[in-house]
Every structure is written in C-alpha cells, then in structure tokens.
Amino acid sequence: MTVHAIIGGTGLTQLEGLSIQQALSLETPYGAPSADILRGEYAGREVLFLARHGHPHRIPPHQVNYRANLWALRQAGAEAILAVNAVGGIHAAMGTGHFCVPHQLVDYTYGRAHTYFEGELEAVTHVDFSHPYDEGLRQRLIAALLAEGCAFSGHGVYACTQGPRLETAAEIVRLERDGCDIVGMTGMPEAVLARELGLPYACLALVVNPAAGKSSALITMADIERALGEGMGKAKAVLGRVLAA
C-alpha cells in the first residue's frame, strides 16, 4: 500500500481526523523541515502530514525550506505527495471556492534553493519536468472532487510567484497573457524537488480570492480566511476519498 504524504498549505496547518501515532522531529542535510512530520491514520490509511508554513502558520512562502520538507517526507517513508495550495483565480472559471487540479505550471520565483543537484557532484543531472504533476494522482483527485460534488477544473496552469506580497494587477495581466489560470506562491520548487526525489506529486488548489484586477474589490485577509474556512473542509473530504480509494 502506497504511503501518501499530505503537505498542508495556508488554511491547512492541521489535518482534523488524523489519528496521530507519531510526531517525527527530523533533521536533514538541508536543515529542519517546517514542522514535525505527523504519522497516523486518515480515512483508514497510513498517512504522513506536514504543515508547509509550520504550526502555527509562521513561515512565509519565500522562506519555506522546501528541500528539507521533501527530503524529510521521503526519509519518513512517503511514496507519493498530495499538496494542498491556496491560490488566486486568474481565469474567469476560477472563482472563489473553486478547486483546480493543475496540469502545468510556470515558475516566476527567484533566489529559492530549488534543487538537490548542486555542489560537489560526480555528474550533472537534469530531470525531465515536461509534465510537472503525476497524472495518476491527478486523476484520483479529479475522481474525488467529482464524488464530493465540488466545483472544480481538471486542468489549469499554476503560476508560482515569489511573494510574500500579492501581485499587482499588471502582473496578473502578464500571467494571464502567459497562459496561467491560477496564481500561488508555494508550488515551486516543491514540485520539482519531489520529481528529483522520484516522488509522484500532484496539487489540489483552492481558489481563495480573485487575482489582482479581477475584481473591483480590494483583496482582504478577512475574505481569504472566510474562503479558507469554507473550502478546506471540502479539501479534507477530497483527500479522504483519494486515500480511501
């Protein structure tokens, strides 16, 4: 039975319903992960859980130690990764509360430690990243969203920006012109590090606000928190279905 790891983003620093059996405080060659890795049972299956931003939520997107997080999950026995991300909606279909299971991404980040293949190497290594998300995991997320009756899109292009600030309206115009449908700050280098470690990886993205310029209203944390409160319960139900299946 595959051991799945869930990486919880903003709004998912705890996985309610997880019967915790062990809290693993791990060190890696890249430092400490964002939080203890929780090993337990969820939806009748063994699962590992890691809060991407720490618990409590305290680590901004550009300071997450992505290398330590992925390394520690593999060290703890993870064989596949289900990542949950809060995002802004660019495409008209990506309204607040909508889910997206992206099939592609564009990386706009800079200055992040983004690979394990550096330093004193015996040989240069390049990983194929043509299709950044594992198709099998994507289809399982899509099936679970259908079963839960959630509004979702089974395809989308995730734009990963640096943060921690939100984007300008002009930047969103640029991202839309580049073909992006949703925008977040944590999709990279997480996805490519999973690929370098040979871990199947897929993203369940919850739209928590219209991207800058896509609404006449200002983006407020109160509105984002309201969307997180309404949407993360559905996300947990979807994850449960994926694991149970």
Side-chain angles (χ1 to χ4, degrees):
M1 187 72 67
T2 300
V3 177
H4 291 80
I6 296 171
I7 301 178
T10 301
L12 192 61
T13 56
Q14 299 182 83
L15 186 60
E16 295 174 10
L18 174 65
S19 176
I20 300 172
Q21 299 165 350
Q22 192 177 16
L24 302 171
S25 181
L26 300 176
E27 283 292 329
T28 79
Y30 307 95
S34 298
D36 286 351
I37 294 174
L38 303 180
R39 184 194 304 278
E41 187 176 286
Y42 189 71
R45 296 288 186 270
E46 180 183 1
V47 70
L48 301 168
F49 178 78
L50 175 62
R52 183 187 289 115
H53 298 280
H55 181 57
H57 186 287
R58 59 184 175 80
I59 306 172
H62 67 296
Q63 291 186 321
V64 171
N65 191 338
Y66 296 96
R67 291 196 297 183
N69 283 354
L70 273 294
W71 191 276
L73 285 171
R74 189 183 67 166
Q75 186 177 330
E79 297 171 300
I81 307 288
L82 295 166
V84 181
N85 302 73
V87 300
I90 299 175
H91 191 282
M94 307 293 174
T96 300
H98 195 82
F99 285 96
C100 180
V101 183
H103 71 291
Q104 275 295 336
L105 62 81
V106 182
D107 186 10
Y108 298 93
T109 65
Y110 50 88
R112 300 184 181 189
H114 64 280
T115 182
Y116 295 111
F117 299 125
E118 63 181 11
E120 296 297 324
L121 301 174
E122 294 182 3
V124 175
T125 301
H126 303 283
V127 294
D128 181 3
F129 204 51
S130 303
H131 304 285
Y133 302 108
D134 180 80
E135 189 60 25
L137 280 181
R138 279 193 358 94
Q139 291 304 321
R140 289 168 61 192
L141 283 168
I142 289 168
L145 286 160
L146 277 170
E148 286 295 320
C150 298
F152 77 95
S153 297
H155 286 81
V157 179
Y158 181 124
C160 189
T161 57
Q162 179 70 359
R165 69 168 177 84
L166 297 176
E167 300 74 31
T168 68
E171 287 169 333
I172 295 301
V173 169
R174 174 200 175 191
L175 300 185
E176 187 170 28
R177 189 168 60 240
D178 287 351
C180 300
D181 301 299
I182 54 177
V183 57
M185 302 175 189
T186 55
M188 284 291 284
E190 197 172 87
V192 73
L193 292 170
R195 179 64 53 85
E196 288 185 352
L197 292 177
L199 296 171
Y201 178 98
C203 167
L204 176 63
L206 170 66
V207 179
V208 296
N209 61 273
K214 292 299 178 179
S215 168
S216 58
L218 292 176
I219 300 171
T220 68
M221 288 309 299
D223 289 339
I224 290 174
E225 288 168 5
R226 189 177 306 112
L228 286 168
E230 295 172 357
M232 282 303 168
K234 296 177 182 178
K236 293 170 189 174
V238 169
L239 294 170
R241 281 191 179 271
V242 170
L243 294 171

